Amino acid sequence: MGVDVIVGGFFGDEGKGKIIAYHSLKVNAKIGVRAGGGPNAGHTVVKDGVTYRLRLIPSSFVNPASRLFISPGVLVDPDVLLSEVSALDVEGRIVVDGKAGLIESRHIERDRSSEFLSKNISTTGTGTGPAMEERVGRRLRLCSEDPRLSNMIGDTVESIHEELEAGGKVLAEGTQGTFLSLYHGTYPYVTSKDVTASAVCSDIGVGPKTVDEVMVVFKSYVTRVGNGPLRDELSEEELQARGWVERGTVTGRPRRAAPFDFDLAKKSVRLNGATCCAITKIDALFPSAKGVRSFSALPQEAKLFSEKVSSELGIRVAYMGTGPDLLDIVEPPTSTG
Ligand code: GTP
Ligand code: IMP
Ligand code: MG
């Protein structure tokens, strides 16, 4: 067994949190390791009626057998991390790599006071971009230097390779989305690093040959928070009428939205080397799919949509999301892909 990588296929907020949580239980991941940005991410996981909003803790926390790692590629805001650790009661399971970068209050201030970042780019204001600038400038302090994190610090890269050698499954959790990538996205309206599957491997310290599956998560429509192009963007009235109104998990800003974009999805499959995909919010397109948990019980239009995605993209649809709960998932039979 090797590494499964899960990444966002559009502009973030595709529902990776829920898909990662489900997958970690399904493959019994021994390690869930957070790659990607920092606390600019906001994953939502709904389990047993409780809604968890995670910014740094891996969504694999739902699997009690999973060790939870934060990789060297991630930027950590200790205030955010410590409050999540105590809210989720995961102390003892969490290891922060000593080489992960530290976000300090001056980064947050700079993110919010810079006219360019806050107004033109419309960043999340979490200090992630300014801290990344310092990391590239080789001045950023690392997590190993913060006494508040001392009991969580370890070498996650070494532990991942030991687990892989022992035959365990490692689940690498990406954040944001492919078109927010610094290199492959809609520059300059992007985040401060590459966030495609190759970058996820680099963040956690494994080579591409260790990867078993690359799963790209799409939502049944495209959303985007902040500035930047969005093809076929719908008006606010149209979003209300379609029931596609969403707000950002971190910033509370309304999410812009457009219909599912097959061209963008195809590019995403290429950029990530996807072996399979997940499509969330099928229930937003086909209300009678809500809460359905078996492929045979899905409305015919939902089955046809999944088949169309699979044939257009040339990959298997592994999961279809039918509601916010972790278990509101359908696994299409492999013959449809
Ligand atoms: P980032 O890491 O910020 O990119 O976020 P994310 O990809 O983890 O997604 P986020 O949780 O920010 O947004 C997805 C939203 O859709 C959340 O409110 C989820 O609860 C919800 N959601 C996920 N899957 C489904 C689904 O299949 N159906 C419905 N109705 N809601 C879903
Ligand atoms: P930053 O990552 O805070 O610098 O923000 C840069 C751009 O990426 C802005 O348009 C943000 O709205 C967007 N962004 C960053 N993280 C996320 C995310 O997790 N979900 C959706 N958009 C994000
Ligand atoms: Mg989000």
Side-chain angles (χ1 to χ4, degrees):
M1 282 216 250
V3 179
D4 286 355
V5 176
I6 300 188
V7 292
F10 289 139
F11 298 96
D13 306 323
E14 300 90 353
K16 293 179 291 297
K18 168 190 153 157
I19 296 295
I20 292 165
Y22 184 87
H23 193 68
S24 99
L25 291 167
K26 160 127 180 148
V27 299
N28 195 20
K30 291 290 166 26
I31 294 172
V33 53
R34 213 355 199 92
N40 49 352
H43 291 320
T44 314
V45 178
V46 182
K47 182 173 182 279
D48 302 328
V50 182
T51 301
Y52 301 92
R53 292 199 170 82
L54 311 166
R55 293 172 58 193
L56 282 167
I57 300 284
S59 299
S60 299
F61 85 94
V62 298
N63 182 348
S66 205
R67 284 186 288 161
L68 308 173
F69 290 179
I70 295 183
S71 69
V74 172
L75 295 167
V76 174
D77 177 335
D79 292 331
V80 172
L81 179 68
L82 291 168
S83 73
E84 277 182 29
V85 167
S86 70
L88 295 172
D89 202 16
V90 290
E91 210 177 342
R93 288 169 69 195
I94 183 109
V95 183
V96 178
D97 199 282
K99 289 180 173 163
L102 261 188
I103 296 179
E104 301 188 68
S105 53
R106 69 174 184 285
H107 302 123
I108 299 173
E109 279 153 26
R110 208 179 318 145
D111 208 358
R112 294 179 185 174
S113 64
S114 152
E115 174 116 355
F116 176 72
L117 292 177
S118 70
K119 301 264 165 30
N120 296 34
I121 305 297
S122 191
T123 66
T124 57
T126 53
T128 310
M132 191 61 78
E133 282 180 37
E134 274 187 25
R135 177 116 205 193
V136 173
R138 282 138 302 167
R139 300 181 307 279
L140 188 70
R141 290 173 66 228
L142 301 182
C143 285
S144 57
E145 298 171 64
D146 190 318
R148 287 175 297 169
L149 301 177
S150 58
N151 60 345
M152 295 183 219
I153 296 296
D155 184 339
T156 61
V157 178
E158 183 67 19
S159 300
I160 284 172
H161 286 279
E162 280 167 11
E163 187 63 62
L164 291 173
E165 278 155 27
K169 172 62 76 185
V170 172
L171 176 49
E173 309 188 3
T175 58
Q176 287 81 41
T178 298
F179 299 101
L180 290 177
S181 159
L182 180 62
Y183 304 143
H184 306 293
T186 53
Y187 186 87
Y189 303 104
V190 292
T191 193
S192 51
K193 66 182 289 187
D194 182 23
V195 288
T196 60
S198 311
V200 166
C201 291
S202 157
D203 287 349
I204 71 165
V206 300
K209 283 172 73 179
T210 62
V211 175
D212 291 332
E213 297 276 2
V214 177
M215 186 186 298
V216 177
V217 182
F218 299 113
K219 191 153 54 183
S220 64
Y221 50 96
V222 184
T223 59
R224 170 158 211 170
V225 278
N227 294 337
L230 178 60
R231 193 163 86 169
D232 299 330
E233 181 168 359
L234 297 166
S235 68
E236 245 178 80
E237 297 74 50
E238 188 58 36
L239 297 189
Q240 295 276 3
R242 296 187 187 212
W244 292 0
V245 174
E246 290 185 22
R247 282 191 173 274
T249 313
V250 175
T251 58
R253 294 180 294 185
R255 290 178 180 160
R256 302 157 58 200
F260 192 91
D261 185 332
F262 280 93
D263 291 333
L264 215 52
K266 280 182 203 166
K267 274 190 201 158
S268 189
V269 165
R270 285 183 166 172
L271 288 166
N272 290 292
T275 60
C276 63
C277 70
I279 318 167
T280 63
K281 287 211 155 185
I282 287 290
D283 53 307
L285 285 194
F286 313 107
S288 62
K290 188 152 188 68
V292 168
R293 294 183 180 185
S294 77
F295 189 75
S296 58
L298 280 177
Q300 188 61 15
E301 314 92 278
K303 291 180 186 167
L304 289 174
F305 182 67
S306 153
E307 280 160 18
K308 180 167 185 213
V309 170
S310 180
S311 70
E312 292 255 341
L313 305 187
I315 52 170
R316 175 172 66 93
V317 176
Y319 302 135
M320 296 164 77
T322 57
D325 191 276
L326 165 62
L327 299 177
D328 287 335
I329 284 200
V330 164
E331 296 188 33
T334 40
S335 58
T336 66

